[in-house]
Amino acid sequence: VCTQQELLLCQSLPKNLLFQLLGLSIATLSTVTHYGLHFTLISDISLESNSYRVIHHAAFYFGICLSMTLILAALLSSAATVQESQCLTAMGFFCFALAFCGLIPAACWRYTHSTEVEDSMMDVYDLVYEEVRRNASSFRRHELTAIHEAFLCCGKRSPFGDTANVERKTCPSGQVRDAGQDCLREIQDFLKKHMDFVSMLLGITIGFTV
């Protein structure tokens, strides 16, 4: 027959494991966002005046701090159940409250600044593309080629109508340019999928935290 303490531990264990899993998921997503090829490539190329680099680093550190807070809250809750400690219980609730106070602004920022990251990434591509088009800089041409290879795209629609030479030099060999390979559209689609996953993970975490 289980004692009351063992029963409480059995009831709290699945919830604590869930929060640890959510914390690890957020940490993994933050790491992928920070060190993923698509994001690091744009971050390395972006100028100091572009906001993307700041957002890129801020998202990583915020995500890591949030994940550690959730994991710590789960561990404190488990320890509080085992030791029947009011102090540990209070600390666990404080960590959950702290995580909640971070999740809400993050979710709000996701919806109120949904186009800021997208615009900053496309600004980086536009800058590199136009510099290559104007002076065919070998350094910028290498960067543009790297973007094309990472996003599997080829050039963009330009009102100047003189982009064929740029694309011939920077697109992956054998890749035919069409509407589906426009780089601005590919960047938008890639980022939309990523941000949708971020929104889903934030929503799930907020729901279970409440």
Side-chain angles (χ1 to χ4, degrees), residues 10 17 22 31 60 65 98 147 155 159 183 193:
C10 291
L17 288 175
L22 287 172
T31 303
F60 172 70
C65 290
L98 195 63
I147 294 176
C183 276
K193 293 177 183 177

Side-chain angles (χ1 to χ4, degrees), residues 126 129-130 133-134 156-164 166:
D126 279 332
Y129 189 93
E130 292 305 319
R133 188 184 63 82
R134 287 196 300 267
K156 66 172 185 175
R157 293 191 182 92
S158 173
F160 299 103
D162 55 351
T163 62
V166 175

Side-chain angles (χ1 to χ4, degrees), residues 140-152:
R140 287 301 190 186
R141 187 165 63 245
H142 175 73
E143 293 178 337
L144 187 61
T145 301
I147 294 176
H148 287 164
E149 291 176 350
F151 286 92
L152 299 178

